[in-house]
Amino acid sequence: MPTELELDLELEIAHVLFIDIVGYSKLLINEQHESLHQLSRIVRNTDAFRVAESAGKLIRLPTGDGMALAFTSAPDAPVRCALQIAKALQSHPGISVRMGVHSGPVSGLTDVNDRSNVAGAGINIAQRVMDCGDAGHILLSKRVAEDLAQYRHWQPHLHELGKCKVKHGEVISLVNLYTNEVGNPAVPTKLKALAHNRHSLRAGEQTSRAWMQAPVIAASIAAIVCVGFLLARTSRLSSNEAAPRTIAPLPPVPEKSIAVLPFENLSANQETAFFTDGVQDEILSNLAKVADLKVISRTSVMQYKTVRARNLREIGRQLGVAHVLEGSVQRANNRIRINAQLIDARTDAHLWAQVYDRDLADVFAIQSEIARTIADQLQAKLSSKEVAALHTTPTRDLAAYDLYLKAIEIGRNRASSIGSGGAEEAKHQINLLNQAISRDPAFLPAICSLVQIHLYLHWINADQAVDHLGLAKQALETAARLQPDSAEVHLSRAIWHYWGAREYAAALAELAQARRDLPNDTRVLFFEAMIYRRQENWRDATHRLEQALSLDPCNITTISEMAGTYAILLRYSDAANTLDRALSWKPLDFNVGLLRAYVDFIWKGDLQRWREVVSSDATRSADPNDVINARIDLALKERDYDRAEQLLAAGGGTEFDDNGFFTPREWKEAIVARGLGQASKAAARFQVARDRAAAEARQHRGDAKALIVLGQIDATMGRKTEALDEGQRAVDMLPASKDAINGYQLQTRLIMIYAQTGETDRALDAIEKNIRRPYAPEYGSLKVDQVWDPLRGNPRFERVVASLAPKL
């Protein structure tokens, strides 16, 4: 019977905000309706509500005198929503509310009126938390407060209140949330009254603890009991309120699935944290070689690095796995102690645990043993080749291994965000890897990593004084001599064919070889997707990215490429939803926020979100160069040349974008000077920009991107013949048939050259012909960007722009 209850309820964790209007019952009927109407409008207009709603991460429930909002996204989503509601209510002094927040299990159901509904202890306890407050209070359960306390920006606003006995004798621990602007700093009336009766409160604590220790079936019964509470509080929806929806069914979780969470570093020397991450990473990599397992990639598990804040059931739900592995590492001199434990994420049951206390030199054997034991515990079928792979030792030189792990740690941090590329970090990786290889020339993982980093720097056109392509080739040849059939060698050779020569068929063949031994490796899926895009195979590219996200759901780079692919296909709503989901759990990621703003710009010609992002708190932890570039570009789009001049004068920024197009700083300075009417300064800066672009094109004669930039600068300078020639040669050099991404971008830049050189009919013909192809000039660009100013007022141009306007 208990098992049937759990299966039927389909519990999942939600973060619940409960709101009610204080003194609601004393209002006249029409006053009640008006107050609820205004409160609903305020709630729906909050950013937290809109982001969660558009991402499909929100369930809203009317409760007669208020509402409950169940967020299935980030734990702080209801708290951010509460603060935004409180701030908005400052303009409505006639509406007084109290709010409570709790995270806990909820379940979809159909009520007695055949309406979709949700119930569960998560909603029930959130209501209890709220009931402890007075007007203006935003109260949190202790569980929610502990989650928020892991983030510095929340800590000053959390004020512990102690325990409060509520309905049915249950005791809950409360925290008061308030800032200098919103919230109620006073101790709630209920807690003041309870302070006089410590004895009864202590008795209540004993009752509460006894309930918490009851069998698992108690949670299921509590979920059913609270249905009555919801039915009692639920009234008819107003005509302008959408019916509450049930939680969408979760996709089935494979039984043989696991996430290897970051291990805790217990070493006295905290500088060895890279080694602890390396142990976790090696176990994860070993398990990922087993085709019969679903193993979540390292990028997505690293967000759970804080051990004491983990909720394993929620982690399992978020990552779509049935099991998690966690543990700790303690390294001292030449000894190592590794503690590992396997847990069923659905029940919190401990399935296996082991402590390994051995010489440091045995670290590889320990990692192999753990991986093999976990595979056996999950009853995974292993081929003889997979068994052999689990017992491979990468190197016997522990000093070389340390150097390698430090390089990998830098790469992990570099890959955790999107933006300016991290060229300096990549160069530091190369230095560490070269040191490791000099100690152990047969250290294959280090050699393959070296190949891939050199190719990366070649691909993004960074550090051009160094022949990264040649160095990558040398390292690849060394790796191939050591182990020609290694999956890492196949992967490195695939990247060589792709980034080094755009040999797509050869790259895909190598990736197919690599996938046989790396079935859970998202790098393989990611590179296949990128190659399919360049072949204009959008269906398979999208499918591969979706597969990659199932194994690495929190990988910001993959999320961004997924959104970018949707935008290329003019699926702007899908692009926006993909980025909104990422922002719901990573709201302060500047580059994701900027991408989201860019979607609004190209889709709707709307710069408001862009303005908000470049002035938000997210800029504090972002790469300053990315922030400066975004602010300069915004100022140019808004024709705020004074602001652009100030930003350019302050320095910073980058001149190469992530696709390798060069934008000389002096080119922007010239455009600004021209906008300010400074003709002589503009001419001088244009000339400097042209000289630099010409030098770039001469140095890289086969680079179509360098040549098209020279053509664009010549176009802005009035050098029509040269501009048209350079633009056409660039397009011919790298046609879309060879590279759909860069090829189509080159074609759009050629159209820009037509517009700038007075070739109006050619520009309009090309726009009309190509308007629905990938990377065609978007609505937002045509509406706003100064490059199209020569076409404005032309009836044909205005018709095109009007035809692209979103039908909202």
Side-chain angles (χ1 to χ4, degrees), residues 342-369:
L342 177 67
I343 300 166
D344 189 320
R346 299 159 296 185
T347 63
D348 283 335
H350 284 60
L351 305 179
W352 168 85
Q354 183 69 47
V355 177
Y356 301 85
D357 196 342
R358 300 186 189 173
D359 289 336
L360 182 61
D362 289 337
V363 63
F364 301 116
I366 296 172
Q367 292 165 167
S368 297
E369 286 180 35

Side-chain angles (χ1 to χ4, degrees), residues 128-134 137 139-140 159-166 171-176 186-198 201:
R128 302 282 187 262
V129 171
M130 180 202 69
D131 281 345
C132 292
D134 304 322
H137 274 128
L139 301 184
L140 316 179
H159 308 276
E160 193 158 353
L161 291 171
K163 294 180 172 62
C164 180
K165 187 164 68 173
V166 295
V171 174
I172 54 179
S173 295
L174 298 175
V175 173
N176 193 4
V187 176
T189 303
K190 279 191 177 182
L191 269 76
K192 288 180 182 177
L194 286 171
H196 298 295
N197 195 350
R198 298 294 182 188
L201 182 57

